Amino acid sequence: MPAQSQTLTEPAWFAPLAQPGVEFPPTALPVLAGHLPPQIRGTLYRNGPGRLERGGQSVGHWFDGDGAILAVHFTETGATGLYRYVQTEGYQAESEANQFLYGNYGMTAPGPLWNQWMRPTKNAANTSVLPLPDRLLALWEGGSPHALNLETLETIGLDNLDELGPMEPYSAHAKQDPITGEIFNFGIAPGAKARLLLYRSDRTGKIIQRGALELDGVPMIHDFALAGRFLVFFIPPVRLNPFPILLGLRSLSDELKWQPDKGTQILVFDRATLTLVSRGETEPWFQWHFSNGCYEDATNRITLDLVRYNNFQTNQYLKEVPTGRLRTLAEGTLWRVQLDSKTAKVLDMQQLVTQSCEFPVVDPRLVGQPWRYTYLSTHRPGVVPTQELLGTIARYDSQTGELTIADAGPNCYPSESLYIPNPPDPGEGWVMTVVYNGDRQTSEVWIYEDDLAGGPICRLGLPQIIPFSFHGRWLGA
């Protein structure tokens, strides 16, 4: 479908997606309202699809867009932002040709069938980031990360972390232990029966230990949880039919099928050895994201929070986002699941938040440990998800059950919120998000107190509209 410029009939949230994002160099960001807390020192990094069309052709799915990174550096002189595309091999080749050349999550390669066999799937580098001491990794589901310069966002190139082979992906949701600095991640190695690959890295990103487990078919696994001594995977009943993809007839997204009879499989691994501890099964659901996990030695109980969907319609919903026309209802809500670590049996499961939500995050100092607050992106109360994108951020208090909602206002749409720690004060910090302000037709960085009370304490203006991003990280100075 040809790309279209925004018209009066298009929804307010569509403007950041209607045209490709345009890079901008380091630019001092003005304070539009409020004040910038002087204690905030470090860099906000965000990654997402910056280009959803090429040569008049639209992508097949939101996940297909070329990755572009926003960095906002906070120093004693204020905030400076820059925005750059990840210079992947596929991005450079398609920029030169001014047309799509590769298949991707929701696309097949154009032209004759042999194009599908000769060209690999494009590594879009568009899902998340992982700041390391000497470089920034742009993460994607199906391949190696790309390394970038932490200050300038200049692309250095593919990074195999001293260990990854060509068919050993490094997924987008790496978990870093805030105490040891160890980094855990996984990848799905393709095959008639896929293998779950587990990686443990030191704080520099170098892989120092590996594990592997054969899976049932080829499932869709986007995220996992670090929970104390354990790594926990919930494998939803979504399976890939690989043969039409290998023949070049269908895309990956087309051939991921909801199979609820398989139930949700549970895998619990020992983080020290990367070996399987227990395996279980429970009722069918789908999840993209966990918020966090923790473990109690006294009871052998693992506690996990996640955003749960009743089915896989969320995939179709996300496919519709780049078109500006939402037709598929897909509501996720926050749930808590408690497991016996020795058996992977579900001990308790309850819905925590009934409001439709996504992108759950916690204070990064509490990853893998007990936590109280979860920050979420939510739909406005009373708004059907097919009417608009997520329009508020919220804080869920697991002690009181209270959900505090910070409404960005009509025609304002925040990306995933991130908790920004205040290093001198454990347990205190701020919440930061990037908002598209449809009334002003601007993209802005909004900063809240961590209780979300009283609206943003600071709004910073970006020099232009940038497309919505998926995930980000904070790197303290």
Side-chain angles (χ1 to χ4, degrees), residues 274-327:
L274 302 185
T275 56
L276 186 68
V277 173
S278 57
R279 184 196 302 257
E281 187 174 316
T282 187
E283 61 193 67
W285 72 72
F286 182 80
Q287 85 280 329
W288 293 110
H289 302 118
F290 292 86
S291 63
N292 200 20
C294 64
Y295 170 69
E296 297 176 354
D297 282 292
T299 62
N300 295 314
R301 181 172 294 224
I302 296 173
T303 299
L304 307 157
D305 285 4
L306 63 141
V307 173
R308 167 177 161 164
Y309 296 83
N310 290 332
N311 50 46
F312 195 47
Q313 286 294 93
T314 173
N315 188 55
Q316 177 62 28
Y317 176 88
L318 295 170
K319 180 179 180 179
E320 293 165 0
V321 168
T323 72
R325 300 290 182 269
L326 302 177
R327 300 178 178 86

Side-chain angles (χ1 to χ4, degrees), residues 11-16 32 377-380 383 387-393 405-415 433-446 448 456 459 468:
W13 56 261
F14 186 61
L32 304 177
S377 297
T378 60
H379 282 99
R380 291 186 177 91
V383 171
Q387 295 175 342
E388 62 176 19
L389 297 187
L390 301 161
T392 68
I393 61 173
I405 295 177
D407 193 333
N411 299 326
C412 289
Y413 302 94
S415 296
T433 182
V434 177
V435 175
Y436 169 65
N437 188 327
D439 291 336
R440 295 175 176 268
Q441 296 187 354
T442 58
S443 290
E444 304 170 2
V445 178
W446 289 18
Y448 293 81
R459 288 177 34 231
F468 297 113

Side-chain angles (χ1 to χ4, degrees), residues 16-17 44-49 62 70 358-361 375-378 389-394 406 408 412-418 431-437 443-446 448 462 466-472:
L17 305 175
L44 170 71
Y45 296 103
R46 295 207 56 83
N47 189 3
W62 199 6
L70 171 70
E358 248 303 346
F359 301 121
V361 300
Y375 294 88
L376 303 152
S377 297
T378 60
L389 297 187
L390 301 161
T392 68
I393 61 173
C412 289
Y413 302 94
S415 296
E416 168 199 59
S417 58
L418 292 181
V431 176
M432 193 176 296
T433 182
V434 177
V435 175
Y436 169 65
N437 188 327
S443 290
E444 304 170 2
V445 178
W446 289 18
Y448 293 81
L462 294 174
I466 63 169
F468 297 113
S469 53
F470 289 148
H471 298 291

